[in-house]
Amino acid sequence: MESNGGDASQILGEIESLKAERKDIDDRILALEAQLREISITNGTVKSDASSPSVLKAASHPNHQLSPDAIYRYSRHLLLPSFGVQGQSNLLNSSVLVVGAGGLGSPALLYLAACGVGHVGIVDHDVVELNNMHRQIIHTEAYIGLPKVESAAHACRLINSTVKIVAYKEALHTSNALEIFSKYDVIIDATDNVPSRYMISDCCVVLGKPLVSGAALGLEGQLTVYNYKGGPCYRCLFPSPPPTTACQRCSDSGVLGVVPGVIGTLQALEAIKIASGIGEPLFARMLLFDAFSGSIRMVKIRGKSLRCEACGEKSAFTPAYFQEFDYEKFTNSPLSAAPPKLNLLPPDSRISCKEYNEKVLGNEPHVLIDVRPAHHFNIVSLPNSLSMPLSGLETRSPEISAALNEAQPQEGGGSSSGAHLYVVCRRGNDSQRAVRLLHNMGFPAAKDIVGGLESWAREVDPNFPAY
Amino acid sequence: MKLTIEFGGGLELLCNSVKVHNVKVDPQDGEEKLTMKGLLSWVCKNLIKERPEMFMKGDTVRPGVLVLVNDCDWELSGQLETPLEEKDVVVFISTLHGG
């Protein structure tokens, strides 16, 4: 019995291994058949093999070159009477470049890859961070710390392996923009800063490329198509750059994740319309999206300006002029959305995080004012700090004096300059503005904590939450 | 005359975060009929509560602000000379750069 049992298990094992082998072989046959189909399609005709059973071949259509797989994959596009074979064929033969793989670029890229744009390019020099994930939906947690272009390219390939994806892991500059842009039919501006927006628009003007421009911040979004069919370019609409103080960043002002999602998706739509030649692209009009009130407003904007410095009659913009143009100087802001680092105060009005920590540990009598907006203070704050947002600080003198009196050591002597006054903010810029203001308000000893809570988290308390 | 004035793209922060203002405005500064020029000076005096330099530069809006009269760029209707009518909707919107 025992030997029989042994035989049986041996036989079962052999059956299992043969089945596994058969599955491997079946898989290989399927893969080879798929490969053969691709080859037959590109060669135009299927060479009839004598050994293969004769079947009635689907007539290869003279008007398009969609493979059977493409017909099936894009069938819902092909079924659209207004889009159909022509729209899809145009799309498959087109190329679209997305500059920025962030909040706008994420949904745009997903749709462009899925819908069968033949060649998709991605430019980004950034890495994926945890605080990107709520809106930059193309990235997954596994890619935190890795380049956004690699993450985005991988996600696109998983969705549609038949699309050519090219990843440019570099920042866009005047030195590489012309060469990269020249390889694409349509450009999508999914960046997050003013100089990049001027640079991308000018480059599109120089090369004659349509530009699908989107922007989102807070609960609002904007969308339009520039440099297309006699419509305006970015400079026609905005000949002079805005003051730097008017340029809010998502990292300062916040953004509801789905808002760039909506605008980025609409950018994909406009690119698809231009690339397929179907529909009425949104040029000389602008879409204004207000997520708070749920309103979408379509407004008419000016046409191309004859006096425009980029696309007007007397434009100096040649490829050479473009390559020499200093966009950071022109807009007075950096090409990355990195926050500025101000240095407004003399060293004796400043104190490092480590020094402040020593004073706290040494029980030095002091008052700590946190000048961030109240909703920032609600996220996280240092113990015993007083919330006094910078915007209303000039009216808070009585409270500050009272707090200093209370903090002052009470033993006999009672020197009037007992307690110190420190100011903290998120990154150490507003705290310097606040200290300048406090000096004028009659608190000449006020000092700012260099680098703010970001430095505190880096240098003193790694467990202090960053945001 | 009755007008609706709206602020967007962050400009509402200059008017206590109120986006939509239903207002009554008469012709300004000796104008016979209210124009955008008169309205801009009225808005500065009556609606803008802080940092006026974030709204105006010289006698017009600062760079980066789009002005729409009845959903149409004021460049197409005569900019400062645009005449205003009863129940017109004027939108001031700051261009966004985030993404």
Side-chain angles (χ1 to χ4, degrees):
Chain A
M1 284 300 280
E2 231 179 58
S3 78
N4 281 348
D7 288 347
S9 71
Q10 198 182 343
I11 291 165
L12 281 171
E14 203 172 329
I15 289 174
E16 282 310 309
S17 88
L18 282 170
K19 277 183 179 173
E21 267 179 55
R22 188 175 68 187
K23 189 180 173 303
D24 277 349
I25 291 168
D26 283 345
D27 285 349
R28 278 174 57 201
I29 290 171
L30 282 173
L32 288 168
E33 280 175 349
Q35 212 176 324
L36 185 64
R37 271 202 301 276
E38 289 295 322
I39 293 168
S40 332
I41 297 304
T42 44
N43 290 347
T45 50
V46 179
K47 297 244 175 10
S48 199
D49 190 316
S51 65
S52 75
S54 78
V55 284
L56 195 58
K57 301 289 177 207
S60 69
H61 204 281
N63 291 338
H64 68 79
Q65 262 133 42
L66 295 173
S67 68
D69 277 350
I71 288 175
Y72 193 51
R73 181 189 281 266
Y74 305 117
S75 65
R76 271 52 174 175
H77 276 177
L78 305 177
L79 287 168
L80 272 174
S82 58
F83 198 82
V85 165
Q86 192 56 53
Q88 190 62 47
S89 300
N90 290 347
L91 216 51
L92 289 166
N93 289 323
S94 73
S95 52
V96 177
L97 179 73
V98 179
V99 187
L104 298 166
S106 287
L109 284 163
L110 291 172
Y111 271 109
L112 293 175
C115 79
V117 168
H119 172 188
V120 175
I122 316 168
V123 186
D124 203 303
H125 70 288
D126 226 348
V127 295
V128 179
E129 291 181 64
L130 181 61
N131 64 10
N132 298 152
M133 311 298 294
H134 84 292
R135 67 186 190 285
Q136 303 184 12
I137 55 165
I138 202 169
H139 308 300
T140 53
E141 289 178 5
Y143 275 91
I144 289 175
L146 296 171
K148 284 185 183 175
V149 282
E150 281 174 19
S151 165
H154 180 68
C156 288
R157 289 187 187 112
L158 285 180
I159 290 171
N160 192 343
S161 61
T162 67
V163 167
K164 177 183 173 191
I165 309 282
V166 178
Y168 302 90
K169 194 167 70 187
E170 52 197 299
L172 194 72
H173 289 292
T174 52
S175 53
N176 59 5
L178 287 165
E179 197 200 328
I180 297 175
F181 281 29
S182 63
K183 299 190 178 97
Y184 296 87
D185 302 325
V186 182
I187 312 297
I188 291 185
D189 183 347
T191 61
D192 58 2
N193 64 83
V194 186
S196 293
R197 290 186 180 277
Y198 277 101
M199 176 168 71
I200 290 167
S201 175
D202 290 347
C203 191
C204 285
V205 168
V206 168
L207 296 171
K209 308 272 181 187
L211 169 61
V212 181
S213 179
L217 187 86
L219 289 146
E220 287 183 69
Q222 298 170 354
L223 170 81
T224 189
V225 173
Y226 291 117
N227 199 41
Y228 186 65
K229 290 195 175 168
C233 77
Y234 190 69
R235 271 187 203 258
C236 293
L237 217 57
F238 305 109
S240 318
T244 47
T245 41
C247 301
Q248 302 176 70
R249 291 179 297 268
C250 293
S251 56
D252 289 339
S253 305
V255 60
L256 195 73
V258 69
V259 174
V262 169
I263 299 296
T265 304
L266 289 171
Q267 285 182 279
L269 172 63
E270 291 306 316
I272 289 166
K273 284 181 349 192
I274 296 169
S276 65
I278 306 294
E280 298 167 7
L282 191 81
F283 66 99
R285 291 175 296 158
M286 184 180 275
L287 182 148
L288 307 172
F289 174 52
D290 183 343
F292 191 83
S293 63
S295 80
I296 291 180
R297 185 176 228 141
M298 193 71 81
V299 302
K300 193 176 172 195
I301 54 174
R302 69 200 72 173
K304 188 183 169 90
S305 161
L306 296 177
R307 286 168 302 160
C308 175
E309 283 189 31
C311 71
E313 284 177 332
K314 290 178 183 163
S315 166
F317 269 93
T318 58
Y321 184 82
F322 169 78
Q323 283 187 311
E324 294 303 317
F325 198 93
D326 188 338
Y327 286 92
E328 296 191 324
K329 200 171 147 202
F330 172 64
T331 58
N332 197 21
S333 44
L335 273 165
S336 68
K341 286 233 178 294
L342 298 179
N343 201 353
L344 305 174
L345 300 172
D348 59 353
S349 288
R350 315 198 69 182
I351 174 173
S352 74
C353 291
K354 284 186 173 151
E355 286 171 295
Y356 175 72
N357 188 41
E358 281 160 21
K359 294 191 186 288
V360 173
L361 296 175
N363 288 320
E364 186 200 270
H366 74 278
V367 169
L368 176 63
I369 298 180
D370 186 325
V371 293
R372 293 173 299 153
H375 65 283
H376 284 233
F377 192 80
N378 286 339
I379 301 172
V380 64
S381 64
L382 284 175
N384 302 320
S385 55
L386 301 176
S387 174
M388 293 191 193
L390 179 61
S391 61
L393 186 63
E394 69 270 21
T395 65
R396 313 289 288 261
S397 286
E399 285 166 79
I400 298 169
S401 300
L404 284 168
N405 278 331
E406 202 176 308
Q408 186 165 282
Q410 294 301 312
E411 63 267 26
S415 91
S416 59
S417 59
H420 289 88
L421 180 59
Y422 300 114
V423 181
V424 72
C425 68
R426 185 179 177 197
R427 299 192 173 110
N429 291 328
D430 274 353
S431 58
Q432 296 182 64
R433 296 188 178 101
V435 164
R436 277 218 293 219
L437 185 63
L438 287 164
H439 288 175
N440 292 331
M441 286 162 60
F443 301 99
K447 293 184 184 190
D448 96 296
I449 296 181
V450 176
L453 296 175
E454 283 195 353
S455 292
W456 180 263
R458 225 174 17 245
E459 294 167 21
V460 178
D461 179 6
N463 292 322
F464 192 82
Y467 64 92
Chain B
M1 73 175 72
K2 282 186 193 150
L3 299 172
T4 302
I5 298 177
E6 298 187 25
F7 296 89
L11 288 179
E12 69 279 6
L13 298 175
L14 307 177
C15 346
N16 295 336
S17 296
V18 179
K19 283 189 163 178
V20 184
H21 303 253
N22 291 302
V23 297
K24 253 191 108 204
V25 186
D26 294 318
Q28 302 288 304
D29 311 321
E31 290 179 345
E32 239 170 63
K33 202 168 179 302
L34 183 66
T35 64
M36 278 304 300
K37 188 169 191 255
L39 183 69
L40 271 187
S41 94
W42 185 90
V43 165
C44 270
K45 270 180 246 156
N46 295 279
L47 298 181
I48 303 292
K49 308 285 186 220
E50 56 178 288
R51 294 176 288 162
E53 73 280 5
M54 295 297 287
F55 183 61
M56 295 284 287
K57 188 178 178 191
D59 64 349
T60 188
V61 293
R62 69 153 168 82
V65 173
L66 280 180
V67 184
L68 308 162
V69 180
N70 299 327
D71 287 346
C72 186
D73 189 347
W74 75 339
E75 282 282 331
L76 299 169
S77 57
Q79 276 195 335
L80 290 166
E81 310 305 324
T82 309
L84 292 169
E85 310 278 345
E86 184 76 19
K87 292 188 180 164
D88 275 353
V89 179
V90 180
V91 178
F92 299 100
I93 194 147
S94 176
T95 171
L96 303 176
H97 312 102

